[in-house]
């Protein structure tokens, strides 16, 4: 889990809670990819050590037209 005050920064490029280690790109890349597909991602947590829930929302694909062939 994560502290509530960190939530707005979770998907920022370079943001990490790991001290002395590089990182902070994974969630940023996920957010960019989902945005590019017309979706979104957000996370919720009740606090550090209490777990987190990540929600990914993607639009439905348009149905393929059988007549298009």
């Amino acid at each position: 889990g994560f502290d509530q005050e960190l939530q707005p920064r979770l998907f920022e490029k370079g943001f990490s809670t790991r001290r002395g280690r590089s990182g902070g790109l994974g969630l940023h890349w996920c957010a960019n990819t989902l945005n590019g597909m017309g979706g979104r991602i957000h996370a919720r947590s009740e606090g550090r050590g209490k777990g987190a829930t990540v929600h990914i929302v993607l639009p439905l694909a348009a149905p393929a037209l059988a007549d298009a062939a």
Side-chain angles (χ1 to χ4, degrees):
F2 55 88
D3 294 325
Q4 227 13 267
E5 64 269 8
L6 299 178
Q7 196 279 333
R9 300 191 60 210
L10 290 177
F11 301 101
E12 288 180 8
K13 183 178 181 181
F15 177 74
S16 178
T17 58
R18 300 185 305 174
R19 301 283 183 224
R21 295 173 64 184
S22 63
L25 291 177
L27 288 176
H28 175 71
W29 286 346
C30 290
N32 283 347
T33 300
L34 289 165
N35 285 335
M37 295 188 304
R40 64 186 192 275
I41 184 172
H42 64 276
R44 292 185 179 158
S45 176
E46 292 189 21
R48 189 177 178 107
K50 295 184 179 181
T53 303
V54 177
H55 299 266
I56 296 173
V57 180
L58 290 169
L60 288 174
L65 297 176
D67 300 321

